[in-house]
Amino acid sequence: MKRQRGVALITVLLVVAIVTVVCAGLIVRQQLAIRASSNQAQARQALHYALGGEALAQGILLRDLQAAGSAPGEGVDHPLEAWARPLPTFPIDAGEISVRIEDLSGRFNLNSLVQGGAGGQPGGEADGGQPPGPATSNNEAVEQFQRLLLNLGIAQPAYAERLVDWLDRQPERAGENGAEDNDYLLAEPPYRTGDRRLEDVSELRLLLGMTEADYRLLLPHVSVLPADAPLNVNTAGAMVLSSLPGLTPGAAQALVQGRPAEGYRDTDPFKAALGQQVGPGAATPGGGGLNPDNGLDGGNGLGDPDGTTSEINLAVSSQYFQVISEVRLADRRQVLVSTLQRQATSRTGEPGSVRVLQRNFGQSARVAPSAPPQG
């Protein structure tokens, strides 16, 4: 009898131990499920806060558009406007939101190196694609990009020709330093050229020979826009302006410092100031002088007098902007980088619109602000 009672006690203890282990496992799984649900809810909350920052930027840009004389192509965009000034950090429960608006039209447009089809981008210029026709190299833009590389201290002039090969659909190399599919297929892993316009600046990392250091140097000064998007001379920094023909970095800095506080009202005063900095008959890397007869006193850009080369498009207003919304919520950090297009007339015919062209949730490296243009 005592032996049977001992076996029963051991059985009870064994059952209790098994139940305890099972209950502990259930509790742990429940805690993990609660934590996962909490993380998902927090992530969704942070995402909506970031989208709220994007909506705030849209409202600021739309209000600037609707202000008197500020419509793209008609008004002026400059660094003293409300959208360009630093926005305060907005406190939220257990965190904060910071929003920054940057003018993409004040940077060098990488897609301008090729004009025309650039890979047969559908939709045409109205949809942000390339105009119909064969893709051809824009020699002045190529030279401008080479000057930008030189002024940044990037000792790799081949990047310009390789980017042309990346953008066009021609099987031939753009120059002796170019690179086509055969060069990229030797990489590990192998890949091909894009043969279309860039959709994001990060695609530069795929360019043959592009180093992380060179990419970081270029990042604050370049953008990817439709090939015909003009450069806003009111928001462009000295480094970008120094890529214009005949300008040294010092002359470009003087040009920025002499820029009116509220920007140039049109491109003619800028061209006059540019001519003073360059000087009559100054030599340019592309050959020929920069004088009032080859682009400074007429047209919308700086081109050869006979019109045989593409013009450098200049403007005093902007259409494309980048919004960086950073949310810190408890121990979570969410960054949303949005590309916005502001139009004077919406597709439905309504006056003024700001639409989202692109959202990127994985480019937190862009959060570091670039140096604001002086003026």
Side-chain angles (χ1 to χ4, degrees), residues 278-304:
V278 172
T284 65
L290 185 61
N291 53 58
D293 292 330
N294 73 343
L296 288 179
D297 62 343
N300 190 37
L302 310 172
D304 290 342

Side-chain angles (χ1 to χ4, degrees), residues 21-35:
V21 172
V22 171
C23 291
L26 292 175
I27 293 173
V28 170
R29 293 182 60 180
Q30 185 179 28
Q31 289 177 339
L32 292 176
I34 293 173
R35 175 61 65 87

Side-chain angles (χ1 to χ4, degrees), residues 27-98:
I27 293 173
V28 170
R29 293 182 60 180
Q30 185 179 28
Q31 289 177 339
L32 292 176
I34 293 173
R35 175 61 65 87
S37 299
S38 175
N39 288 340
Q40 291 177 4
Q42 197 176 77
R44 182 60 61 89
Q45 187 177 12
L47 171 60
H48 283 285
Y49 275 131
L51 291 173
E54 176 190 273
L56 172 64
Q58 285 181 281
I60 293 174
L61 291 172
L62 186 59
R63 183 173 59 184
D64 177 71
L65 174 66
Q66 295 171 344
S70 61
E74 301 176 3
V76 175
D77 290 305
H78 55 82
L80 293 184
E81 291 191 303
W83 63 265
R85 292 195 293 265
L87 296 175
T89 300
F90 302 98
I92 57 177
D93 291 340
E96 61 183 20
I97 306 174
S98 61

Side-chain angles (χ1 to χ4, degrees), residues 8-22:
L9 180 59
I10 292 174
T11 303
V12 170
L13 292 175
L14 182 59
V15 170
V16 171
I18 294 174
V19 171
T20 302
V21 172
V22 171

Side-chain angles (χ1 to χ4, degrees), residues 121-176:
Q121 183 77 358
E125 292 177 284
D127 292 329
Q130 300 292 345
T136 57
S137 173
N138 183 344
N139 294 330
E140 289 198 1
V142 172
E143 294 174 357
Q144 187 180 356
F145 187 44
Q146 289 174 333
R147 289 190 290 270
L148 178 61
L149 293 171
L150 179 64
N151 293 337
L152 286 172
I154 298 178
Q156 181 53 281
Y159 286 155
E161 294 178 353
R162 291 174 184 176
L163 184 54
V164 171
D165 287 330
W166 187 274
L167 294 171
D168 66 20
R169 300 185 66 178
Q170 306 299 328
E172 300 83 10
R173 296 184 181 183
E176 62 180 11

